[in-house]
Amino acid sequence: MENTSTFSIKYWAEDDKPREKLMLKGKAVLSDAELLAILLGSGSKNESAVDLSKRILGSVQNNLSLLGKMSVNQLTEFKGIGPAKAITIVAAAELGRRRRTEEHIDYLKVTSSKIVFDLMQPILGELPHEEFWVLYLNNANKIIYKAQLSKGGITGTVVDVRLLLKTAIEQNALGIILTHNHPSGKLIPSESDIQVTQKIKTAAKQLDISLLDHLIITEQSYYSFADDGIL
């Protein structure tokens, strides 16, 4: 009978072991499958961790963004992936998403709607439900604080204008930018979107706080009220 234990990474040449390869040559030289194999730690009796990783990546066309959207239940459908390994992959994907977000936060100056999209897309772009976030800016249009104002269902969310303005005062903000996502992927503002934007604009003006923009964000693109001239 063929000895299937040779599939184990421990029998590979030293340079081919993902962990050792990372230590010897650096993280940049590892393939996506090798990096994923490090997270998995081991494969199965008949399949190495790298081969298992290649199989998982192949199921999402080797697209890391699609891999990051997979749930624990979806991952455990692969033979060789139990709950612990699936949770490790999901956690790593979430850390990557949060890192993308934090890279933008060092008092980022807003000079265009695209800057806001690049900041908020990793937070909102892939959600299956709506969330409403507010960016608070100083007099130099630099972001000094950001916060989730509300979280809702597939088709909408409730906005507390009083809480929004209370936070603006606490942060000494002179400008605010509204952002929310459309899980449907549609970039057309609803009547409700337009009404709440005008309501916030009017209320903020009474406190000498400027509403600078309102962005509707999807996975791939965005709509800016300011760019479209309807703010």
Side-chain angles (χ1 to χ4, degrees), residues 178-212:
L178 314 175
T179 66
H180 79 281
N181 62 309
H182 278 182
S184 66
K186 294 181 180 179
L187 288 173
I188 300 174
S190 66
E191 187 60 34
S192 175
D193 293 336
I194 295 171
Q195 289 177 358
V196 75
T197 301
Q198 291 303 319
K199 182 178 180 180
I200 292 171
K201 179 181 178 180
T202 300
K205 188 176 181 180
Q206 300 302 313
L207 299 174
D208 293 323
I209 297 171
S210 299
L211 174 57
L212 303 175

mmCIF file of all heavy atoms in Angstrom, residues 178-212:
data_model
loop_
_atom_site.group_PDB
_atom_site.id
_atom_site.type_symbol
_atom_site.label_atom_id
_atom_site.label_comp_id
_atom_site.label_asym_id
_atom_site.label_seq_id
_atom_site.Cartn_x
_atom_site.Cartn_y
_atom_site.Cartn_z
ATOM 1 N N LEU A 178 -21.769 62.151 5.508
ATOM 2 C CA LEU A 178 -22.623 60.985 5.734
ATOM 3 C C LEU A 178 -22.264 59.878 4.751
ATOM 4 O O LEU A 178 -21.955 60.157 3.589
ATOM 5 C CB LEU A 178 -24.094 61.362 5.561
ATOM 6 C CG LEU A 178 -24.571 62.651 6.235
ATOM 7 C CD1 LEU A 178 -26.027 62.925 5.861
ATOM 8 C CD2 LEU A 178 -24.386 62.573 7.731
ATOM 9 N N THR A 179 -22.319 58.654 5.206
ATOM 10 C CA THR A 179 -22.085 57.515 4.316
ATOM 11 C C THR A 179 -23.007 56.372 4.721
ATOM 12 O O THR A 179 -23.231 56.144 5.909
ATOM 13 C CB THR A 179 -20.626 57.012 4.365
ATOM 14 O OG1 THR A 179 -20.359 56.462 5.663
ATOM 15 C CG2 THR A 179 -19.639 58.118 4.078
ATOM 16 N N HIS A 180 -23.561 55.711 3.743
ATOM 17 C CA HIS A 180 -24.273 54.470 4.015
ATOM 18 C C HIS A 180 -24.186 53.589 2.776
ATOM 19 O O HIS A 180 -23.835 54.054 1.691
ATOM 20 C CB HIS A 180 -25.722 54.726 4.442
ATOM 21 C CG HIS A 180 -26.673 55.022 3.334
ATOM 22 N ND1 HIS A 180 -26.770 56.253 2.719
ATOM 23 C CD2 HIS A 180 -27.605 54.235 2.720
ATOM 24 C CE1 HIS A 180 -27.705 56.229 1.795
ATOM 25 N NE2 HIS A 180 -28.229 55.011 1.761
ATOM 26 N N ASN A 181 -24.467 52.330 2.946
ATOM 27 C CA ASN A 181 -24.334 51.378 1.847
ATOM 28 C C ASN A 181 -25.691 50.926 1.330
ATOM 29 O O ASN A 181 -26.702 51.009 2.026
ATOM 30 C CB ASN A 181 -23.529 50.152 2.284
ATOM 31 C CG ASN A 181 -24.215 49.392 3.408
ATOM 32 O OD1 ASN A 181 -24.608 49.964 4.421
ATOM 33 N ND2 ASN A 181 -24.372 48.084 3.237
ATOM 34 N N HIS A 182 -25.696 50.472 0.092
ATOM 35 C CA HIS A 182 -26.862 49.838 -0.516
ATOM 36 C C HIS A 182 -26.479 48.399 -0.857
ATOM 37 O O HIS A 182 -25.785 48.155 -1.844
ATOM 38 C CB HIS A 182 -27.297 50.572 -1.785
ATOM 39 C CG HIS A 182 -28.143 51.776 -1.536
ATOM 40 N ND1 HIS A 182 -28.677 52.551 -2.558
ATOM 41 C CD2 HIS A 182 -28.569 52.344 -0.381
ATOM 42 C CE1 HIS A 182 -29.382 53.542 -2.025
ATOM 43 N NE2 HIS A 182 -29.331 53.444 -0.718
ATOM 44 N N PRO A 183 -26.889 47.427 -0.042
ATOM 45 C CA PRO A 183 -26.557 46.024 -0.331
ATOM 46 C C PRO A 183 -27.052 45.564 -1.692
ATOM 47 O O PRO A 183 -26.494 44.633 -2.271
ATOM 48 C CB PRO A 183 -27.265 45.268 0.801
ATOM 49 C CG PRO A 183 -27.386 46.260 1.906
ATOM 50 C CD PRO A 183 -27.619 47.570 1.228
ATOM 51 N N SER A 184 -28.084 46.215 -2.212
ATOM 52 C CA SER A 184 -28.629 45.841 -3.520
ATOM 53 C C SER A 184 -27.674 46.163 -4.659
ATOM 54 O O SER A 184 -27.805 45.631 -5.763
ATOM 55 C CB SER A 184 -29.942 46.585 -3.765
ATOM 56 O OG SER A 184 -29.713 47.989 -3.875
ATOM 57 N N GLY A 185 -26.710 47.056 -4.395
ATOM 58 C CA GLY A 185 -25.785 47.469 -5.435
ATOM 59 C C GLY A 185 -26.260 48.673 -6.229
ATOM 60 O O GLY A 185 -25.524 49.202 -7.065
ATOM 61 N N LYS A 186 -27.477 49.132 -5.973
ATOM 62 C CA LYS A 186 -28.018 50.279 -6.695
ATOM 63 C C LYS A 186 -27.433 51.579 -6.146
ATOM 64 O O LYS A 186 -27.349 51.762 -4.936
ATOM 65 C CB LYS A 186 -29.541 50.302 -6.584
ATOM 66 C CG LYS A 186 -30.220 49.136 -7.275
ATOM 67 C CD LYS A 186 -31.729 49.231 -7.160
ATOM 68 C CE LYS A 186 -32.414 48.064 -7.862
ATOM 69 N NZ LYS A 186 -33.894 48.134 -7.746
ATOM 70 N N LEU A 187 -27.052 52.473 -7.048
ATOM 71 C CA LEU A 187 -26.428 53.726 -6.647
ATOM 72 C C LEU A 187 -27.368 54.930 -6.764
ATOM 73 O O LEU A 187 -26.921 56.060 -6.678
ATOM 74 C CB LEU A 187 -25.173 53.964 -7.494
ATOM 75 C CG LEU A 187 -23.986 53.056 -7.162
ATOM 76 C CD1 LEU A 187 -22.858 53.255 -8.153
ATOM 77 C CD2 LEU A 187 -23.486 53.318 -5.744
ATOM 78 N N ILE A 188 -28.642 54.668 -6.915
ATOM 79 C CA ILE A 188 -29.607 55.755 -7.003
ATOM 80 C C ILE A 188 -30.144 56.050 -5.603
ATOM 81 O O ILE A 188 -30.629 55.147 -4.919
ATOM 82 C CB ILE A 188 -30.776 55.375 -7.936
ATOM 83 C CG1 ILE A 188 -30.248 55.074 -9.337
ATOM 84 C CG2 ILE A 188 -31.815 56.502 -7.984
ATOM 85 C CD1 ILE A 188 -31.309 54.542 -10.277
ATOM 86 N N PRO A 189 -30.057 57.302 -5.139
ATOM 87 C CA PRO A 189 -30.577 57.619 -3.802
ATOM 88 C C PRO A 189 -32.093 57.466 -3.754
ATOM 89 O O PRO A 189 -32.801 57.858 -4.688
ATOM 90 C CB PRO A 189 -30.154 59.073 -3.591
ATOM 91 C CG PRO A 189 -29.947 59.621 -4.960
ATOM 92 C CD PRO A 189 -29.463 58.483 -5.798
ATOM 93 N N SER A 190 -32.582 56.886 -2.676
ATOM 94 C CA SER A 190 -34.022 56.747 -2.506
ATOM 95 C C SER A 190 -34.606 58.072 -2.009
ATOM 96 O O SER A 190 -33.867 58.987 -1.610
ATOM 97 C CB SER A 190 -34.323 55.648 -1.485
ATOM 98 O OG SER A 190 -33.860 56.039 -0.198
ATOM 99 N N GLU A 191 -35.907 58.190 -2.022
ATOM 100 C CA GLU A 191 -36.555 59.392 -1.504
ATOM 101 C C GLU A 191 -36.222 59.568 -0.021
ATOM 102 O O GLU A 191 -36.024 60.685 0.460
ATOM 103 C CB GLU A 191 -38.070 59.305 -1.699
ATOM 104 C CG GLU A 191 -38.807 60.577 -1.338
ATOM 105 C CD GLU A 191 -38.374 61.774 -2.164
ATOM 106 O OE1 GLU A 191 -38.034 61.588 -3.349
ATOM 107 O OE2 GLU A 191 -38.373 62.899 -1.613
ATOM 108 N N SER A 192 -36.148 58.446 0.685
ATOM 109 C CA SER A 192 -35.777 58.492 2.098
ATOM 110 C C SER A 192 -34.349 59.007 2.279
ATOM 111 O O SER A 192 -34.072 59.785 3.200
ATOM 112 C CB SER A 192 -35.910 57.094 2.710
ATOM 113 O OG SER A 192 -35.454 57.084 4.048
ATOM 114 N N ASP A 193 -33.428 58.578 1.400
ATOM 115 C CA ASP A 193 -32.045 59.061 1.462
ATOM 116 C C ASP A 193 -31.995 60.575 1.287
ATOM 117 O O ASP A 193 -31.262 61.280 1.998
ATOM 118 C CB ASP A 193 -31.199 58.402 0.360
ATOM 119 C CG ASP A 193 -31.000 56.911 0.555
ATOM 120 O OD1 ASP A 193 -31.096 56.458 1.705
ATOM 121 O OD2 ASP A 193 -30.747 56.222 -0.448
ATOM 122 N N ILE A 194 -32.762 61.080 0.346
ATOM 123 C CA ILE A 194 -32.771 62.515 0.065
ATOM 124 C C ILE A 194 -33.365 63.289 1.237
ATOM 125 O O ILE A 194 -32.835 64.330 1.663
ATOM 126 C CB ILE A 194 -33.560 62.801 -1.227
ATOM 127 C CG1 ILE A 194 -32.839 62.166 -2.430
ATOM 128 C CG2 ILE A 194 -33.728 64.298 -1.441
ATOM 129 C CD1 ILE A 194 -33.634 62.209 -3.718
ATOM 130 N N GLN A 195 -34.446 62.765 1.801
ATOM 131 C CA GLN A 195 -35.110 63.446 2.909
ATOM 132 C C GLN A 195 -34.231 63.519 4.148
ATOM 133 O O GLN A 195 -34.129 64.572 4.788
ATOM 134 C CB GLN A 195 -36.427 62.744 3.226
ATOM 135 C CG GLN A 195 -37.503 62.931 2.174
ATOM 136 C CD GLN A 195 -38.765 62.156 2.487
ATOM 137 O OE1 GLN A 195 -38.839 61.440 3.482
ATOM 138 N NE2 GLN A 195 -39.771 62.282 1.628
ATOM 139 N N VAL A 196 -33.575 62.401 4.497
ATOM 140 C CA VAL A 196 -32.743 62.409 5.707
ATOM 141 C C VAL A 196 -31.521 63.291 5.515
ATOM 142 O O VAL A 196 -31.049 63.931 6.454
ATOM 143 C CB VAL A 196 -32.336 60.966 6.104
ATOM 144 C CG1 VAL A 196 -31.247 60.416 5.186
ATOM 145 C CG2 VAL A 196 -31.865 60.930 7.547
ATOM 146 N N THR A 197 -31.019 63.370 4.288
ATOM 147 C CA THR A 197 -29.879 64.238 3.999
ATOM 148 C C THR A 197 -30.254 65.699 4.230
ATOM 149 O O THR A 197 -29.506 66.453 4.876
ATOM 150 C CB THR A 197 -29.403 64.043 2.546
ATOM 151 O OG1 THR A 197 -29.039 62.684 2.349
ATOM 152 C CG2 THR A 197 -28.199 64.930 2.250
ATOM 153 N N GLN A 198 -31.397 66.112 3.722
ATOM 154 C CA GLN A 198 -31.850 67.483 3.898
ATOM 155 C C GLN A 198 -32.160 67.782 5.367
ATOM 156 O O GLN A 198 -31.885 68.888 5.867
ATOM 157 C CB GLN A 198 -33.072 67.747 3.026
ATOM 158 C CG GLN A 198 -32.773 67.754 1.535
ATOM 159 C CD GLN A 198 -31.695 68.767 1.154
ATOM 160 O OE1 GLN A 198 -31.664 69.884 1.661
ATOM 161 N NE2 GLN A 198 -30.801 68.363 0.255
ATOM 162 N N LYS A 199 -32.707 66.816 6.059
ATOM 163 C CA LYS A 199 -33.019 66.985 7.477
ATOM 164 C C LYS A 199 -31.743 67.218 8.289
ATOM 165 O O LYS A 199 -31.674 68.110 9.140
ATOM 166 C CB LYS A 199 -33.753 65.742 7.997
ATOM 167 C CG LYS A 199 -34.167 65.823 9.454
ATOM 168 C CD LYS A 199 -34.927 64.560 9.850
ATOM 169 C CE LYS A 199 -35.347 64.616 11.320
ATOM 170 N NZ LYS A 199 -36.090 63.387 11.712
ATOM 171 N N ILE A 200 -30.722 66.426 8.012
ATOM 172 C CA ILE A 200 -29.448 66.570 8.723
ATOM 173 C C ILE A 200 -28.769 67.879 8.348
ATOM 174 O O ILE A 200 -28.209 68.579 9.201
ATOM 175 C CB ILE A 200 -28.533 65.366 8.420
ATOM 176 C CG1 ILE A 200 -29.120 64.098 9.046
ATOM 177 C CG2 ILE A 200 -27.117 65.611 8.936
ATOM 178 C CD1 ILE A 200 -28.418 62.823 8.633
ATOM 179 N N LYS A 201 -28.825 68.230 7.079
ATOM 180 C CA LYS A 201 -28.204 69.477 6.623
ATOM 181 C C LYS A 201 -28.811 70.685 7.329
ATOM 182 O O LYS A 201 -28.094 71.574 7.810
ATOM 183 C CB LYS A 201 -28.365 69.619 5.112
ATOM 184 C CG LYS A 201 -27.760 70.902 4.547
ATOM 185 C CD LYS A 201 -27.980 70.991 3.037
ATOM 186 C CE LYS A 201 -27.401 72.300 2.490
ATOM 187 N NZ LYS A 201 -27.610 72.409 1.019
ATOM 188 N N THR A 202 -30.139 70.702 7.421
ATOM 189 C CA THR A 202 -30.831 71.821 8.070
ATOM 190 C C THR A 202 -30.509 71.892 9.560
ATOM 191 O O THR A 202 -30.236 72.971 10.102
ATOM 192 C CB THR A 202 -32.350 71.679 7.877
ATOM 193 O OG1 THR A 202 -32.646 71.675 6.473
ATOM 194 C CG2 THR A 202 -33.094 72.823 8.542
ATOM 195 N N ALA A 203 -30.518 70.743 10.225
ATOM 196 C CA ALA A 203 -30.246 70.714 11.660
ATOM 197 C C ALA A 203 -28.794 71.099 11.956
ATOM 198 O O ALA A 203 -28.515 71.837 12.908
ATOM 199 C CB ALA A 203 -30.547 69.325 12.212
ATOM 200 N N ALA A 204 -27.862 70.591 11.144
ATOM 201 C CA ALA A 204 -26.443 70.891 11.362
ATOM 202 C C ALA A 204 -26.153 72.370 11.155
ATOM 203 O O ALA A 204 -25.320 72.962 11.868
ATOM 204 C CB ALA A 204 -25.586 70.040 10.425
ATOM 205 N N LYS A 205 -26.834 72.975 10.206
ATOM 206 C CA LYS A 205 -26.610 74.393 9.899
ATOM 207 C C LYS A 205 -26.925 75.267 11.101
ATOM 208 O O LYS A 205 -26.279 76.308 11.318
ATOM 209 C CB LYS A 205 -27.467 74.798 8.702
ATOM 210 C CG LYS A 205 -27.173 76.198 8.174
ATOM 211 C CD LYS A 205 -27.991 76.483 6.917
ATOM 212 C CE LYS A 205 -27.671 77.868 6.376
ATOM 213 N NZ LYS A 205 -28.468 78.162 5.140
ATOM 214 N N GLN A 206 -27.896 74.884 11.906
ATOM 215 C CA GLN A 206 -28.256 75.645 13.095
ATOM 216 C C GLN A 206 -27.125 75.667 14.120
ATOM 217 O O GLN A 206 -27.070 76.552 14.969
ATOM 218 C CB GLN A 206 -29.513 75.040 13.737
ATOM 219 C CG GLN A 206 -30.737 75.025 12.845
ATOM 220 C CD GLN A 206 -31.129 76.405 12.364
ATOM 221 O OE1 GLN A 206 -31.199 77.353 13.158
ATOM 222 N NE2 GLN A 206 -31.393 76.535 11.074
ATOM 223 N N LEU A 207 -26.223 74.709 14.022
ATOM 224 C CA LEU A 207 -25.081 74.628 14.938
ATOM 225 C C LEU A 207 -23.776 75.025 14.254
ATOM 226 O O LEU A 207 -22.689 74.768 14.773
ATOM 227 C CB LEU A 207 -24.953 73.198 15.481
ATOM 228 C CG LEU A 207 -26.158 72.681 16.280
ATOM 229 C CD1 LEU A 207 -25.972 71.213 16.624
ATOM 230 C CD2 LEU A 207 -26.346 73.503 17.549
ATOM 231 N N ASP A 208 -23.895 75.649 13.083
ATOM 232 C CA ASP A 208 -22.721 76.071 12.303
ATOM 233 C C ASP A 208 -21.828 74.894 11.924
ATOM 234 O O ASP A 208 -20.597 75.008 11.879
ATOM 235 C CB ASP A 208 -21.901 77.128 13.053
ATOM 236 C CG ASP A 208 -22.650 78.442 13.208
ATOM 237 O OD1 ASP A 208 -23.374 78.808 12.269
ATOM 238 O OD2 ASP A 208 -22.517 79.076 14.267
ATOM 239 N N ILE A 209 -22.462 73.780 11.665
ATOM 240 C CA ILE A 209 -21.751 72.585 11.205
ATOM 241 C C ILE A 209 -22.166 72.336 9.764
ATOM 242 O O ILE A 209 -23.360 72.305 9.445
ATOM 243 C CB ILE A 209 -22.081 71.359 12.076
ATOM 244 C CG1 ILE A 209 -21.611 71.596 13.512
ATOM 245 C CG2 ILE A 209 -21.438 70.097 11.502
ATOM 246 C CD1 ILE A 209 -22.087 70.528 14.485
ATOM 247 N N SER A 210 -21.198 72.154 8.885
ATOM 248 C CA SER A 210 -21.484 72.002 7.461
ATOM 249 C C SER A 210 -21.607 70.534 7.073
ATOM 250 O O SER A 210 -20.748 69.715 7.441
ATOM 251 C CB SER A 210 -20.368 72.643 6.628
ATOM 252 O OG SER A 210 -20.267 74.024 6.893
ATOM 253 N N LEU A 211 -22.666 70.218 6.349
ATOM 254 C CA LEU A 211 -22.780 68.893 5.742
ATOM 255 C C LEU A 211 -22.066 68.954 4.396
ATOM 256 O O LEU A 211 -22.514 69.625 3.471
ATOM 257 C CB LEU A 211 -24.247 68.507 5.550
ATOM 258 C CG LEU A 211 -24.494 67.189 4.793
ATOM 259 C CD1 LEU A 211 -23.801 66.017 5.480
ATOM 260 C CD2 LEU A 211 -25.991 66.923 4.649
ATOM 261 N N LEU A 212 -20.935 68.262 4.297
ATOM 262 C CA LEU A 212 -20.073 68.367 3.121
ATOM 263 C C LEU A 212 -20.451 67.386 2.013
ATOM 264 O O LEU A 212 -20.258 67.679 0.832
ATOM 265 C CB LEU A 212 -18.614 68.161 3.529
ATOM 266 C CG LEU A 212 -18.097 69.126 4.607
ATOM 267 C CD1 LEU A 212 -16.687 68.749 5.018
ATOM 268 C CD2 LEU A 212 -18.154 70.557 4.111
#
